[in-house]
Each structure stands twice: as C-alpha cells, then as structure tokens.
Amino acid sequence: MNERIDGHTILIGLMAYPIRHSMSPTMHNNAFAKLGLNYAYLAFEITNDNLPQAIDAIRTLDMRGSNISMPNKQKVIPLLDKLDPAAEMVGAVNTIVNDHGTLTGYVTDGTGFMQALKDENLDIIGEKMTLAGGGGAGTAIAIQAAIDGVKEISIFNRHDDLWENAKRNVDIINENTNCKATLHELEDQDDFKNEIQDCAIYCDSTGVGMKPLEDQSLVNDPSWFKKDMIVYDTVYAPRTTKLMNIAQDAGVKHVYNGLSMMLEQGAEAFKLWTNQEMPVEYIRDLLF
Ligand code: NAD
C-alpha cells in the first residue's frame, strides 16, 4: 500500500455505521494492488446525521465514489444527482460513482447475485425462483432477477415490518418487467413447500441461519428439495448454514452460501469505478 499511494492516488470510500468489521477495504485494496491501479479504498463511520456532509465530500475531494451501507442505503438517494434504473426500482443505493461532480447511485447486490450464479455456469433466465425475504438483500435479488429475465418469482415473507416492502417489490416487478411476481405468507407451510418444489432456485435472504439464529432454517424437511435445483443462502457466516446442510442431505447439487454474492457485488462496484474487471479468483483465494 505504501508503495502505491502518491500524490495522484484516487480515493474511494465506504460510508456506513458500524463498518469496522467490513471485508470491503481488504477486497478492493488488494484488487487495486494486483492490477497496479492507483486507488485507495477507506471505510468511514457515517450515520444518517453526517451523511450529507460525507456525500458533499465526495465532490469536494474529487473522490471517484463510495460504497454505501446501512443505515444510509435509502437516505442517500435524495443527495445524489442521478439513479441507475435498477437502484430506482430497488429504492436503495450501495455504490456511488462520481463523474466530474455528478453523483450516480447504483445497487450492485442484485447484479452480484446474478453474476455469482453465472460464475457457477448456472442460468436461471426463463426459470422460476422462490425467494424467502423481502428486505434489503431480497429486494435487490428479486428486482435484478426480474430485470434479467427470470420468468416467475414467488416471494415469501412473514407478517413483520418488512411485509409491506415485500408487497412493494411484487408490485414494482409486475409493473416494470415481464416477470410474474407473487407474494406469499411464510406462515403457510403447504404453500411454501409447493412453491419450493415447483422452482429451479430457492433463495433465502432472511438471515435465518446467521447468528443468533445459526441453529435455525426456514426449511427443515429435505424432501422439499429436488436434486437438480439450486439452493442459495445469502448468509456467509457461518460458511455452511443449517439450510445448506438440509439441502446437502437432500442431495441438492448446487448449494451455495452468500460469499459469492458478496464478492461479486464488490466486483460490480469495482468495475463501475475503474472500468476494469476485479481479479475475482485472486480475491476469492486471498479472502475466503
Ligand atoms: P433486512 O432486515 O432488510 O431483511 C430481512 C428479511 O428477512 C425480511 O424480509 C424479514 O421479514 C425476514 N426475516 C427476518 N427474520 C426472520 C425470521 N426469523 N423468520 C423469517 N423471516 C425473517 O435484512 P437484509 O439486509 O436483507 O439482510 C438479510 C440477510 O442477507 C443477512 O443475513 C445478511 O447478512 C445477508 N446479506 C448478504 C449479502 C451478500 O452479499 N451475501 C448482502 C446483503 C445481505
């Protein structure tokens, strides 16, 4: 890093709180070093309160951009000049690109998820997805999958404060894409089972399986799964969740945790800032 930083180094930020645990600075700085790019990526503890000043600083310091995470992903939108259409549909931004003072907001979680499947040579275009969760991750996944051409998405949510968001996602998908989205109650176990048995990919975006729920899974019966389907859990700590164990017990061939989505959402942002491909395999070996 010392050898790389000089008077021309371009700064990219990560604005969130809490943020010190993030793997993103290690991921991006190693990728810049590997490709010999003169950028530096730093994490800043930014809350909703100091977000406006932080966004102004992107322009003032002529930063190339920033990643944005909780609690700022929605609050940042009115502070930007432009929004990518997917970010507009998702209603959240995780990446800002600064083009000579014009700030554009993107969301790369959904494109990262779709790319993670492509990395495994899995094609879900024209297929049906069953998705548990309509929060931040679930919204980005559902909307990008619909934009990319997934034929049908059955979204399951429990009746909590994110039910309305899941409902909004279904409406946005049906109004703006050729995908048919439907909203289902997670409490209806027969419906949940039928929709999982009828899909090519089941994705869990609820965080069930992650601490403190690491001994839980929304699906507990291996017979709900088919061997030739895909089971994707957005959780990556632990690396193998209870859901993944159950899917593996059922003999499901394609079972994944959320590491690939995490890596690819970073790679999508990296490309937006640098116009270059992140050396994904190198970073995967280094970090995971
Ligand atoms: P969120 O709070 O915005 O949404 C959570 C969703 O899960 C909601 O739909 C909620 O109704 C549902 N939910 C929560 N607890 C539940 C329970 N006990 N039973 C059933 N449903 C429940 O959270 P988020 O930001 O969308 O994150 C969700 C998960 O996705 C987390 O585990 C997070 O680490 C992971 N994530 C992974 C990546 C990645 O790159 N792999 C990116 C973003 C989020």
Side-chain angles (χ1 to χ4, degrees):
M1 169 85 89
N2 286 344
E3 287 160 24
R4 286 200 302 115
I5 289 186
D6 61 19
H8 298 277
T9 303
I10 299 164
L11 180 60
I12 295 174
L14 166 57
M15 300 175 176
Y17 186 84
I19 201 54
R20 295 296 174 212
H21 63 282
S22 170
M23 280 198 269
S24 294
T26 313
M27 172 163 75
H28 287 289
N29 287 315
N30 277 290
F32 297 144
K34 176 76 176 164
L35 298 186
L37 299 175
N38 200 355
Y39 291 84
Y41 182 107
L42 292 180
F44 300 103
E45 289 185 325
I46 303 294
T47 62
N48 286 176
D49 293 338
N50 54 4
L51 186 64
Q53 296 95 310
I55 298 302
D56 265 353
I58 296 177
R59 297 188 181 91
T60 309
L61 304 178
D62 200 18
M63 294 166 65
R64 177 60 177 141
S66 185
N67 273 142
I68 298 292
S69 195
M70 294 314 288
N72 302 320
K73 282 182 158 187
Q74 283 104 16
K75 289 277 182 203
V76 75
I77 288 178
L79 304 172
L80 303 175
D81 302 302
K82 290 200 283 185
L83 269 192
D84 178 68
E88 188 153 5
M89 282 169 71
V90 171
V93 160
N94 79 334
T95 303
I96 298 172
V97 177
N98 178 12
D99 289 306
H100 311 292
T102 301
L103 304 187
T104 306
Y106 297 84
V107 61
T108 66
D109 293 315
T111 46
F113 171 79
M114 294 301 286
Q115 185 58 45
L117 297 178
K118 283 186 208 143
D119 291 347
E120 300 292 338
N121 291 318
L122 297 171
D123 184 4
I124 59 166
I125 307 310
E127 304 283 358
K128 173 169 174 174
M129 172 190 276
T130 297
L131 174 66
T139 300
I141 289 169
I143 286 177
Q144 193 63 46
I147 290 173
D148 285 0
V150 166
K151 188 179 70 179
E152 212 177 319
I153 307 178
S154 300
I155 300 175
F156 282 80
N157 214 92
R158 62 180 185 178
H159 274 282
D160 62 11
D161 52 355
L162 280 150
W163 172 264
E164 284 304 317
N165 197 61
K167 199 160 167 250
R168 168 203 171 272
N169 295 347
V170 164
D171 291 343
I172 287 202
I173 288 170
N174 288 333
E175 281 161 22
N176 294 281
T177 74
N178 292 325
C179 176
K180 181 185 165 218
T182 47
L183 180 58
H184 305 250
E185 295 174 356
L186 195 50
E187 291 83 357
D188 185 343
Q189 290 286 293
D190 287 339
D191 187 28
F192 193 33
K193 175 183 173 182
N194 288 339
E195 291 301 306
I196 288 178
Q197 288 184 331
D198 189 38
C199 72
I201 173 165
Y202 169 64
C203 176
D204 186 323
S205 73
T206 65
V208 173
M210 187 177 74
K211 256 188 183 167
L213 306 177
E214 69 267 39
D215 59 342
Q216 292 186 29
S217 166
L218 296 179
V219 179
N220 288 288
D221 182 348
S223 75
W224 288 23
F225 294 129
K226 295 171 298 191
K227 288 188 172 52
D228 62 350
M229 71 186 295
I230 304 165
V231 173
Y232 195 100
D233 197 335
T234 60
V235 170
Y236 49 83
R239 294 287 191 265
T240 308
T241 60
K242 184 162 184 214
L243 166 69
M244 293 169 67
N245 278 324
I246 289 163
Q248 277 155 357
D249 286 349
V252 176
K253 268 186 265 166
H254 306 290
V255 181
Y256 304 100
N257 64 29
L259 274 182
S260 53
M261 174 178 166
M262 214 276 284
L263 186 63
E264 289 296 354
Q265 63 77 28
E268 297 285 326
F270 187 92
K271 192 170 178 184
L272 288 168
W273 295 316
T274 66
N275 222 8
Q276 303 223 24
E277 299 292 339
M278 179 185 270
V280 168
E281 288 315 314
Y282 170 77
I283 297 296
R284 197 193 305 269
D285 291 347
L286 200 75
L287 288 188
F288 313 130

